[in-house]
């Protein structure tokens, strides 16, 4: 089988870890939205891992506000990911 994502095969997924990081630090979604200057709904999607397209500006703001690296917020999982 050709190694092409157009064929039906699992290639893994990106898992967002913002919820874990924020919960560890005791930061609410409202607080984070104010810190990074965006709407609650934007942070809520990141928090629940339901973002469909990554906004690199939002990712940079989150990293700055949390004083963390991209890899602290994003994780590549090679195995099959749950369907949402």
């Amino acid at each position: 089988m050709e190694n092409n994502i157009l064929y039906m095969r699992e290639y893994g997924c990106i898992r967002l870890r913002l919820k874990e990081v924020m919960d560890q630090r005791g930061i609410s979604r409202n607080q984070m939205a104010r810190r990074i200057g965006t709407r609650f709904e934007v942070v809520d999607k990141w928090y629940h891992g339901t973002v469909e397209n990554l906004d690199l500006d939002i990712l940079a703001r989150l990293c700055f506000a949390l004083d963390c690296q991209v890899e602290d917020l994003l994780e590549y999982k090679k195995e099959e990911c749950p369907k949402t």
Side-chain angles (χ1 to χ4, degrees), residues 11-13 25 28 39-40 47 56 77 79 81:
Y11 50 87
C13 66
R25 298 178 186 202
S28 74
R39 297 182 345 262
F40 172 86
Y47 185 86
L56 296 180
K77 303 286 274 182
E79 64 269 5
C81 296

Side-chain angles (χ1 to χ4, degrees), residues 8-40:
M8 291 300 289
R9 65 187 282 279
E10 284 301 322
Y11 50 87
C13 66
I14 302 295
R15 188 173 80 80
L16 301 177
R17 299 191 64 246
L18 182 62
K19 179 181 183 343
E20 290 94 341
V21 174
M22 285 176 54
D23 289 352
Q24 287 172 352
R25 298 178 186 202
I27 301 169
S28 74
R29 289 170 284 166
N30 279 320
Q31 289 171 323
M32 183 55 68
R34 283 192 302 273
R35 283 184 189 185
I36 68 170
T38 194
R39 297 182 345 262
F40 172 86

Side-chain angles (χ1 to χ4, degrees), residues 19 24 28-30 33-34 40 43 45 50-51 57 61 64-65 71 74 83:
K19 179 181 183 343
Q24 287 172 352
S28 74
R29 289 170 284 166
N30 279 320
R34 283 192 302 273
F40 172 86
V43 174
K45 284 186 175 190
T50 58
V51 173
D57 183 60
R61 292 183 204 187
F64 180 81
E71 55 270 20
L74 302 177
K83 306 293 184 236

